[in-house]
Amino acid sequence: MIRTFAELDLDSNLLEAIEEMGFDRPTKIQAEAIPQALDGRDILASAPTGTGKTAAFVLPALQFLQDFPRRKPGPARVLILTPTRELAMQVADQARALAKNTKLNIFTITGGVQYQEHADILATTQDIVVATPGRLMEYIEAERFDCRAIEWLILDEADRMLDMGFGPTVDRLSSECRWRKQTLLFSATLEGKGVEGFTADLLTDPAEIDAKSPLRERKKITQWYHRADTAEHKLALLKHILTQQAERTIVFVKTRERLAELRAQLESAQINCAWIQGEMPQDRRNNAIARFREGSVNVLLATDVAARGIDLPDVSHVINYDMPRTADVYLHRIGRTARAGKKGSAISLIEAHDQPMIDRVARYIKEEIKERFIKEMRPQHKKSVFKKKKKTDTKKSATKKSASKKPTSKKSAPKKKSVKK
Ligand code: ADP
Ligand code: MG
């Protein structure tokens, strides 16, 4: 069992960069994946969000590039695929930080960037390219990118890439990179639909690593919820939390329309916020994230699509202003806080109709999510009353009954009675 970075077969220039980044010891996924990757194995790894998967593939890739230095200029040797452009930039940033004592070149190829800006990249020597699948495929089709020199193919957030429909594109990219030596696949979970077949095609006899976090790394997220009587009550709770309790907060809403509405409401309450949503111009997204990252605003409003895979440092609170549609999305959302061992809070603001969802989440994560109250803002409605009124349940059983059971039982019941008489 490896406990220190020094025990990993990494050159001192990498160890120095690691130290400068303030990493004291490898996380579990790093300790397990790095030696296997350096041994030449394919990797199939899953580990929870925030446990340092990026360095777990970037470090062995950098070491590989140093062990087998290129002899002449040429195209990329390591290709990292990520589901979103923000994530691509983050991975590239972290790779550049870890590679700061090397001469290796790291580039990104993502959507939302003007074609021209990439033009000069393609003419220069690249060692690592971090790309989103769709845009990279366009480049390959236009013969502006060459995969033939790729030796390592790395897939980050493979589950998300599948969710976002990138499966076929990734398959094509995989065959474009068919001369590669190694493939590394990282994912938060390997349970999603289709992941199994997907990985079987990509990987050859992979080392399987399931790094359920040890207690030390497990996130210290305190979760609770507040009940709101109405939408106005919910907004009042949010304002109170943002101004009285929270420090750096991501507020999740379910749609762009909801985001626009909330943004206006918070602005008129003089609460400054940045916001990100799907299909937003790249520079505006970057701008919003930068403002939040630098701390010029402490509240970031986000939709789920926009927030996928982004590592926003030092988030103290995640607030579910709208409950997510599934328990899995809830987990992804709250994974934005308490990263790499820090503490965090996850607060859900729920109306009566959200009660079944919060109960479902608690069952899914096998943890209790307690209710809390804010003085003078207590809900007026009683919880149990609304618990019984599970809309979905009553509706479903009602329609089922009227469709099949009810008519037959109605018909048969009087018959039986008449027979008895
Ligand atoms: P994941 O991809 O598993 O969600 P990241 O790679 O984004 O996680 O890492 C989450 C955070 O933890 C980042 O801010 C990263 O710099 C930090 N981190 C990574 N490895 C370590 C380590 N060994 N010690 C301390 N912090 C780390
Ligand atoms: Mg990651």
Side-chain angles (χ1 to χ4, degrees), residues 127-236:
D127 294 298
I128 299 181
V129 165
V130 189
T132 48
R135 191 49 172 259
L136 185 67
M137 204 61 227
E138 285 173 27
Y139 274 77
I140 292 170
E141 278 164 354
E143 297 189 357
R144 298 173 63 109
F145 185 83
D146 189 350
C147 283
R148 277 173 299 182
I150 298 292
E151 292 167 81
W152 280 34
L153 174 63
I154 301 170
L155 291 94
D156 190 20
E157 306 225 358
D159 50 347
R160 293 280 134 193
M161 281 200 275
L162 275 184
D163 279 356
M164 292 171 76
F166 282 132
T169 312
V170 172
D171 279 338
R172 288 181 62 196
L173 290 171
S174 163
S175 68
E176 291 287 335
C177 300
R178 58 186 161 281
W179 292 281
R180 68 188 185 265
K181 300 189 172 93
Q182 264 174 271
T183 310
L184 288 69
L185 185 150
F186 285 76
S187 198
T189 61
L190 295 173
E191 279 147 29
K193 42 180 154 75
V195 180
E196 224 165 87
F198 183 65
T199 58
D201 292 342
L202 290 168
L203 305 167
T204 312
D205 182 30
E208 290 186 31
I209 301 168
D210 179 2
K212 295 248 160 50
S213 291
L215 222 49
R216 170 173 60 80
E217 278 164 34
R218 196 161 294 163
K219 303 157 161 243
K220 294 147 196 97
I221 305 178
T222 315
Q223 303 169 56
W224 70 90
Y225 67 87
H226 293 286
R227 280 184 301 125
D229 294 320
T230 60
E232 293 74 46
H233 186 195
K234 190 158 90 164
L235 179 63

Side-chain angles (χ1 to χ4, degrees), residues 53-54 87 156-157 309 339:
K53 289 190 285 298
T54 316
L87 189 58
D156 190 20
E157 306 225 358
R339 311 211 82 182

Side-chain angles (χ1 to χ4, degrees), residues 24-314:
D24 293 334
R25 48 196 295 182
T27 62
K28 191 163 181 235
I29 186 73
Q30 290 163 359
E32 293 187 13
I34 293 172
Q36 303 262 30
L38 290 175
D39 262 358
R41 295 284 305 269
D42 277 7
I43 304 264
L44 173 58
S46 64
T49 318
T51 54
K53 289 190 285 298
T54 316
F57 57 75
V58 166
L59 284 170
L62 294 173
Q63 185 61 45
F64 168 80
L65 292 170
Q66 298 201 139
D67 287 343
F68 303 94
R70 68 161 71 242
R71 271 179 248 117
K72 49 181 194 235
R77 300 173 63 199
V78 172
L79 173 61
I80 302 172
L81 297 177
T82 69
T84 65
R85 44 198 171 191
E86 281 80 16
L87 189 58
M89 289 193 297
Q90 272 175 29
V91 169
D93 283 348
Q94 192 163 151
R96 286 188 190 111
L98 290 167
K100 62 180 290 221
N101 304 319
T102 75
K103 290 204 166 64
L104 299 169
N105 293 311
I106 296 152
F107 291 103
T108 56
I109 295 180
T110 63
V113 178
Q114 289 303 308
Y115 215 52
Q116 253 106 2
E117 288 177 41
H118 285 320
D120 49 333
I121 296 182
L122 305 168
T124 34
T125 287
Q126 315 140 42
D127 294 298
I128 299 181
V129 165
V130 189
T132 48
R135 191 49 172 259
L136 185 67
M137 204 61 227
E138 285 173 27
Y139 274 77
I140 292 170
E141 278 164 354
E143 297 189 357
R144 298 173 63 109
F145 185 83
D146 189 350
C147 283
R148 277 173 299 182
I150 298 292
E151 292 167 81
W152 280 34
L153 174 63
I154 301 170
L155 291 94
D156 190 20
E157 306 225 358
D159 50 347
R160 293 280 134 193
M161 281 200 275
L162 275 184
D163 279 356
M164 292 171 76
F166 282 132
T169 312
V170 172
D171 279 338
R172 288 181 62 196
L173 290 171
S174 163
S175 68
E176 291 287 335
C177 300
R178 58 186 161 281
W179 292 281
R180 68 188 185 265
K181 300 189 172 93
Q182 264 174 271
T183 310
L184 288 69
L185 185 150
F186 285 76
S187 198
T189 61
L190 295 173
E191 279 147 29
K193 42 180 154 75
V195 180
E196 224 165 87
F198 183 65
T199 58
D201 292 342
L202 290 168
L203 305 167
T204 312
D205 182 30
E208 290 186 31
I209 301 168
D210 179 2
K212 295 248 160 50
S213 291
L215 222 49
R216 170 173 60 80
E217 278 164 34
R218 196 161 294 163
K219 303 157 161 243
K220 294 147 196 97
I221 305 178
T222 315
Q223 303 169 56
W224 70 90
Y225 67 87
H226 293 286
R227 280 184 301 125
D229 294 320
T230 60
E232 293 74 46
H233 186 195
K234 190 158 90 164
L235 179 63
L237 286 166
L238 178 70
K239 285 187 199 163
H240 180 94
I241 294 168
L242 290 179
T243 52
Q244 308 294 315
Q245 301 178 358
E247 290 140 41
R248 290 176 56 68
T249 309
I250 305 181
V251 180
F252 281 101
V253 290
K254 62 185 170 202
T255 61
R256 279 189 266 173
E257 291 71 31
R258 292 277 298 159
L259 192 146
E261 189 188 351
L262 181 61
R263 186 157 54 94
Q265 287 163 335
L266 292 181
E267 269 163 17
S268 65
Q270 259 100 54
I271 298 173
N272 278 334
C273 54
W275 49 279
I276 50 169
Q277 61 187 22
E279 296 183 17
M280 187 175 177
Q282 180 70 18
D283 51 343
R284 287 180 66 195
R285 278 219 239 209
N286 288 349
N287 200 344
I289 290 170
R291 286 209 298 148
F292 185 65
R293 197 181 286 281
E294 291 154 9
S296 59
V297 288
N298 284 323
V299 180
L300 181 73
L301 310 184
T303 59
D304 293 304
V305 177
R308 262 174 198 164
I310 299 177
D311 176 30
L312 298 152
D314 296 325

